Amino acid sequence: MRRRAADFRRPVRRRISNVVWWTLCGIVVLIFIVILSKETKIESRPTFPKRSDRHERIMEGLNITDEMLNANSVTRQLTDQISLAKAFVVIAKESNNLQFAWELSAQIRNSQSLLSNAATRRTPLTTRASETAVRDMALLLYQAQQLHYDSATMIMRLKAKIQALEEQMSAVNEKSSKYGQIAAEEVPKSLYCLGVRLTTEWFGNINLQRNFERKQMEVKLIDNSLYHFCVFSDNILATSVVVNSTALNSKNPDMVVFHLVTDEINYAAMKAWYALNGFRGVTVEVQKFEDFTWLNASYVPVLKQLQDAETQSYYFSGSSGDGRTPIKFRNPKYLSMLNHLRFYIPEVFPALKKVVFLDDDVVVQKDLSGLFSIDLNGNVNGAVETCMETFHRYHKYLNYSHPLIREHFDPDACGWAFGMNVFDLVEWRKRNVTGIYHYWQEMNIDRTLWKLGTLPPGLLTFYGLTEPLSPAWHVLGLGYTNVDPQLIEKGAVLHFNGNSKPWLKIGMEKYKPLWEKYVDYNHLLLQQCNFH
């Protein structure tokens, strides 16, 4: 029985030991799995630099040291004092307190020297070493506060200073604009001399008059197969440059006809100049607008307005009513008939069908015969648009607070340029464009629709009747701004629009050669009148 009991206990112990062993193995496996899972999670997480590493990199990038970040840092205290002292130096100088400004500057240099020496030694600045400097600077800063050099006072003074400077700048700009306008309007002595000498020559030389009449070929003046150009001007030399540059760059100058219209004063001088000079066979006609019988106050609104006392006061007495209207808006040239004749071209040239209008401040540097074959697609005016920027859209020139303007015209419509325009006179007459101009000119008798010049009424008159031309035909801005040299090189017509005309001393020097190349300074009359 004992043997059987012993035999029975052996397998039981063996089974127990096996269970324990497998249990231990399971526990080990579980521990191993847990360890592996933790490592996997750690590896799957994004790695971030330690806070201390990131902190050190930021400090290095900003050139900040631990000593400066210390709440009790002497270096930081000195640096803050120096920054504040520099601001007070400026205020002290503005207040003409030069002695105090000098004391502040000296203390700033002293504090900067301490900081520099500490940086050179690579050791933090101690309280003991900087005690005197900190105390002396603190006393000066306290003194500055007693002198009301605090931030609030500084801001008020700066605002007052800025306001005073703005007022000075406004006054200077107004004077500059006024004097610039006067300089642009004045006739140079040399031009006046040329006019007088030519007038004397015309009335004293019968042969000169016969020579001019011989050059007038009546058939050419009305031949619509030729290239007809018109210029309205009282400037003899300027019109000469327009004619000469057109002739020299024309492939067929004998087909070019220039119709010049001037005033009574310059009529004889203009005829004398074109009798004395030839322009490669170009035909030149000279008229004066005083001979146009249809040009009277009953037909022309501008002449009617000139009879109004208020209009005369506005333009000629220097009184602008509200006192705020700039002088450029009150230039009497805007009432000159030579300026407004562009709206009467069909009446001036009743036999012509197509004309290219040129201002007297342009230079032609390409053959312009191609303008006469451009299809205007039923429009009246061919012009280069100037709406590459918002500055040159309709809202810039017209008063859109007025219901008449607001109801009839798109404020974002493209502006275009007077100075080189192709006019289809057949369509002009058919659509009664001059009548449209008369309507808007009469509506603007109180100057509430627009103020400046002939471009605004032109924008109204030719609204929906203008065909855009290639920008290369007409390059603007040579009389007031910088122009891309590539545009100048490719441009057919260069326009010196602006006050800085090339025949004036205020002309832009870098663009004058483009105009002067068409002036013969060796001409006897030009030498006698000191043109150079």
Side-chain angles (χ1 to χ4, degrees):
M1 289 295 292
R2 289 178 181 174
R3 189 176 179 180
R4 287 181 179 175
D7 293 338
F8 177 78
R9 285 195 296 270
R10 282 195 192 99
V12 171
R13 287 197 298 268
R14 193 178 293 116
R15 284 197 295 271
I16 292 172
S17 64
N18 287 340
V19 170
V20 172
W21 188 85
W22 283 110
T23 301
L24 292 172
C25 287
I27 292 171
V28 171
V29 169
L30 286 173
I31 293 172
F32 185 72
I33 291 172
V34 171
I35 293 172
L36 285 177
S37 65
K38 286 184 177 180
E39 289 179 356
T40 303
K41 288 180 180 179
I42 291 171
E43 289 177 358
S44 64
R45 292 174 185 171
T47 58
F48 294 101
K50 293 181 180 180
R51 179 177 176 83
S52 60
D53 293 341
R54 186 168 69 251
H55 181 70
E56 288 177 0
R57 282 202 296 273
I58 292 173
M59 289 172 59
E60 182 180 354
L62 296 178
N63 196 25
I64 297 175
T65 64
D66 288 330
E67 196 269 336
M68 291 180 68
L69 294 175
N70 189 342
N72 299 317
S73 170
V74 178
T75 300
R76 189 177 65 181
Q77 186 177 358
L78 268 180
T79 303
D80 291 344
Q81 282 186 331
I82 289 171
S83 299
L84 188 57
K86 286 181 177 179
F88 287 152
V89 168
V90 175
I91 302 173
K93 289 182 178 178
E94 287 288 333
S95 304
N96 205 29
N97 194 344
L98 302 182
Q99 176 63 29
F100 186 62
W102 180 87
E103 292 176 5
L104 279 171
S105 299
Q107 191 56 45
I108 289 172
R109 289 192 296 271
N110 184 36
S111 299
Q112 288 175 335
S113 177
L114 285 174
L115 293 173
S116 177
N117 292 335
T120 303
R121 295 192 306 268
R122 297 180 180 273
T123 57
L125 190 63
T126 64
T127 303
R128 183 176 180 180
S130 60
E131 181 179 3
T132 303
V134 171
R135 186 184 66 250
D136 292 346
M137 182 68 85
L139 288 172
L140 287 174
L141 295 179
Y142 176 76
Q143 186 178 348
Q145 291 177 348
Q146 297 303 307
L147 292 170
H148 301 290
Y149 290 173
D150 54 277
S151 299
T153 305
M154 179 176 68
I155 291 171
M156 291 180 62
R157 288 188 178 184
L158 288 176
K159 284 184 176 179
K161 188 70 174 178
I162 291 171
Q163 184 177 356
L165 289 173
E166 286 178 346
E167 291 175 355
Q168 290 178 16
M169 185 175 66
S170 177
V172 169
N173 286 339
E174 185 176 353
K175 287 182 180 179
S176 176
S177 175
K178 179 179 180 180
Y179 295 145
Q181 193 71 48
I182 292 172
E185 294 171 20
E186 290 298 317
V187 178
K189 290 182 179 180
S190 53
L191 276 178
Y192 178 77
C193 167
L194 180 64
V196 171
R197 286 182 178 273
L198 285 170
T199 302
T200 303
E201 186 71 20
W202 175 261
F203 288 111
N205 191 338
I206 299 298
N207 293 328
L208 193 64
Q209 299 178 24
R210 291 173 180 171
N211 185 33
F212 182 77
E213 292 174 0
R214 190 164 53 251
K215 288 184 177 182
Q216 297 287 295
M217 302 179 66
E218 298 293 337
V219 177
K220 278 193 169 185
L221 298 180
I222 58 174
D223 186 348
N224 282 289
S225 66
L226 302 179
Y227 308 133
H228 293 270
F229 299 86
C230 65
V231 181
F232 307 135
S233 173
D234 57 1
N235 189 320
I236 300 166
L237 195 62
T239 57
S240 177
V241 168
V242 177
V243 174
N244 193 29
S245 61
T246 304
L248 291 175
N249 291 290
S250 176
K251 296 177 181 178
N252 299 291
D254 57 319
M255 294 184 65
V256 174
V257 180
F258 264 94
H259 303 268
L260 308 181
V261 180
T262 188
D263 55 16
E264 181 76 46
I265 296 173
N266 294 281
Y267 182 52
M270 196 80 76
K271 289 191 293 183
W273 180 259
Y274 289 99
L276 287 169
N277 300 283
F279 298 91
R280 294 189 66 207
V282 168
T283 301
V284 179
E285 176 193 27
V286 180
Q287 301 180 76
K288 63 178 187 290
F289 72 79
E290 287 87 351
D291 287 341
F292 302 148
T293 55
W294 49 266
L295 203 61
N296 52 66
S298 62
Y299 179 62
V300 179
V302 171
L303 293 177
K304 182 180 180 181
Q305 291 169 15
L306 273 174
Q307 297 175 353
D308 180 65
E310 183 183 348
T311 302
Q312 292 178 2
S313 174
Y314 182 87
Y315 283 101
F316 298 106
S317 72
S319 173
S320 60
D322 58 8
R324 295 188 300 272
T325 306
I327 186 174
K328 68 178 182 178
F329 294 123
R330 295 182 280 114
N331 191 337
K333 77 173 185 179
Y334 297 130
L335 292 178
S336 166
M337 279 317 304
L338 288 176
N339 209 33
H340 284 265
L341 274 180
R342 63 192 68 193
F343 296 106
Y344 299 95
I345 292 177
E347 285 90 337
V348 178
F349 312 112
L352 299 183
K353 296 180 179 180
K354 182 173 282 189
V355 166
V356 171
F357 166 79
L358 296 173
D359 266 336
D360 65 358
D361 54 353
V362 307
V363 164
V364 177
Q365 58 177 16
K366 306 284 183 182
D367 178 66
L368 299 184
S369 58
L371 289 171
F372 293 85
S373 59
I374 291 177
D375 184 2
L376 296 183
N377 297 311
N379 287 307
V380 177
N381 173 31
V384 171
E385 292 183 330
T386 56
C387 60
M388 287 72 75
E389 302 173 8
T390 182
F391 178 83
H392 295 103
R393 296 186 183 272
Y394 268 49
H395 63 78
K396 173 64 181 179
Y397 303 99
L398 305 171
N399 177 20
Y400 273 86
S401 64
H402 197 290
L404 267 178
I405 298 296
R406 192 168 56 249
E407 292 170 8
H408 291 87
F409 303 99
D410 178 8
D412 291 323
C414 254
W416 45 267
F418 265 135
M420 198 293 299
N421 305 80
V422 183
F423 289 122
D424 185 333
L425 303 185
V426 176
E427 285 294 326
W428 185 315
R429 297 181 183 100
K430 185 187 301 184
R431 294 172 182 258
N432 189 24
V433 173
T434 302
I436 298 173
Y437 161 72
H438 282 172
Y439 170 79
W440 289 112
Q441 193 69 42
E442 288 170 351
M443 290 296 99
N444 194 47
I445 190 170
D446 56 358
R447 298 176 296 279
T448 56
L449 304 185
W450 73 85
K451 291 184 182 295
L452 176 63
T454 52
L455 180 56
L459 295 176
L460 302 182
T461 301
F462 295 101
Y463 185 72
L465 301 174
T466 299
E467 180 71 14
L469 302 181
S470 167
W473 281 115
H474 188 190
V475 177
L476 297 108
L478 280 78
Y480 72 94
T481 188
N482 292 317
V483 183
D484 186 345
Q486 292 184 350
L487 293 178
I488 292 176
E489 184 179 354
K490 296 178 181 178
V493 175
L494 306 181
H495 197 167
F496 290 81
N497 57 312
N499 284 339
S500 302
K501 304 301 184 188
W503 56 84
L504 299 174
K505 289 184 178 180
I506 62 172
M508 298 180 72
E509 292 297 331
K510 63 180 178 179
Y511 297 139
K512 277 188 176 183
L514 297 169
W515 185 85
E516 290 178 331
K517 66 188 291 187
Y518 297 104
V519 179
D520 180 13
Y521 287 107
N522 292 321
H523 194 288
L524 179 61
L525 284 174
L526 297 188
Q527 289 186 346
Q528 290 174 347
C529 291
N530 294 320
F531 280 94
H532 49 75

